[in-house]
Amino acid sequence: MDQQDAAERVAATPYTLGSGARELLKWLALVMMTGDHVAKVVFGGYLPVASELGRVAFPLFALVMACNLAQPGADLGKSIRRLLFWGVIAQPVHALAFGGWLPVNILLSFVVAALVILALERQRAWLLLLAGGVLPAFVDYQWIGVAVVVLGWIGFRRRLWWLPLLGLAALCWHNGNGWALFSVPVLLAVGRVRWTVPRWRWAFYVYYVGHLALLAAYAQLLR
């Protein structure tokens, strides 16, 4: 009986990327995303290498977020409020930079994914219908993007390492290329090292809004 209990505890323990590794992956993804945004706004949509690496940014963000939310004691409500706050601030400059209000910026996309996870945890059918069925129509990568986060969250919590690959495969189909799968070796390589990267939470959000504001200013000067 003791051995069975121990086995169940191991099976229920989420795979853990260290805090430093998660922070490093988040900043790597932000740099990749910045390059992709510059390619879209400054170079008319495509810049070699930068545009390809941009396809890696979203799955890295999604898997890091999934791992964060899978940690014991993760505060879903706090994460949703923080993402919503900064996502609302970022949305006007995001719209000015890219010439439209839809799809919404990535922070609001992750709000939708977190709401789906909240609905699953609290068994709220109406919230699941809204967040999983309706709201993805307004976010980048739509239902596939939300699925990458949710499948990653389930995979980290249940130790089903193959499950996030289904979402990444769908993302590759959506993008028309296989670059999203490159996020897996990047995550594994970074995750094997114990990094001591400080957690600059506010700096991350300020940078995200700031780089969009600069791109928005550039886009408005050209119009």
Side-chain angles (χ1 to χ4, degrees):
M1 190 67 175
D2 292 339
Q3 290 180 345
Q4 182 179 353
D5 291 342
E8 289 177 353
R9 285 196 297 270
V10 170
T13 302
Y15 172 75
T16 301
L17 286 168
S19 176
R22 297 198 301 272
E23 193 69 16
L24 179 58
L25 286 166
K26 186 171 67 176
W27 282 99
L28 283 174
L30 188 60
V31 170
M32 293 177 182
M33 174 182 284
T34 301
D36 185 50
H37 287 174
V38 170
K40 290 177 179 176
V41 176
V42 180
F43 293 94
Y46 179 75
L47 183 65
V49 181
S51 294
E52 282 76 18
L53 290 178
R55 304 284 73 76
V56 185
F58 178 83
L60 279 180
F61 276 133
L63 293 175
V64 168
M65 179 181 176
C67 186
N68 282 334
L69 296 182
Q71 300 306 304
D75 190 335
L76 265 171
K78 184 178 180 180
S79 296
I80 291 170
R81 289 190 296 272
R82 182 170 61 244
L83 287 166
L84 182 61
F85 175 79
W86 286 100
V88 169
I89 291 176
Q91 188 54 32
V93 288
H94 182 275
L96 288 172
F98 297 107
W101 286 85
L102 295 176
V104 296
N105 68 77
I106 193 172
L107 300 182
L108 296 179
S109 299
F110 286 145
V111 168
V112 174
L115 286 173
V116 172
I117 293 172
L118 184 68
L120 292 172
E121 279 204 336
R122 299 187 181 180
Q123 298 181 348
R124 303 286 177 81
W126 66 268
L127 182 58
L128 183 60
L129 180 62
L130 175 65
V134 178
L135 294 182
F138 305 101
V139 306
D140 208 2
Y141 301 110
Q142 298 186 318
W143 289 270
I144 291 175
V146 172
V148 173
V149 180
V150 176
L151 291 175
W153 173 74
I154 297 172
F156 282 122
R157 289 199 69 174
R158 303 300 181 187
R159 302 177 68 87
L160 300 173
W161 313 134
W162 54 270
L163 195 58
L165 295 177
L166 298 180
L168 294 179
L171 194 59
C172 289
W173 172 80
H174 180 276
N175 291 335
N177 59 64
W179 280 99
L181 291 176
F182 189 65
S183 60
V184 175
V186 172
L187 186 145
L188 292 176
V190 172
R192 290 185 178 186
V193 180
R194 291 185 176 273
W195 303 92
T196 55
V197 179
R199 193 173 185 185
W200 299 326
R201 178 180 299 164
W202 300 115
F204 173 85
Y205 292 111
V206 170
Y207 175 91
Y208 179 76
V209 175
H211 97 280
L212 287 176
L214 289 175
L215 291 173
Y218 179 87
Q220 295 307 303
L221 287 174
L222 291 182
R223 291 170 187 162

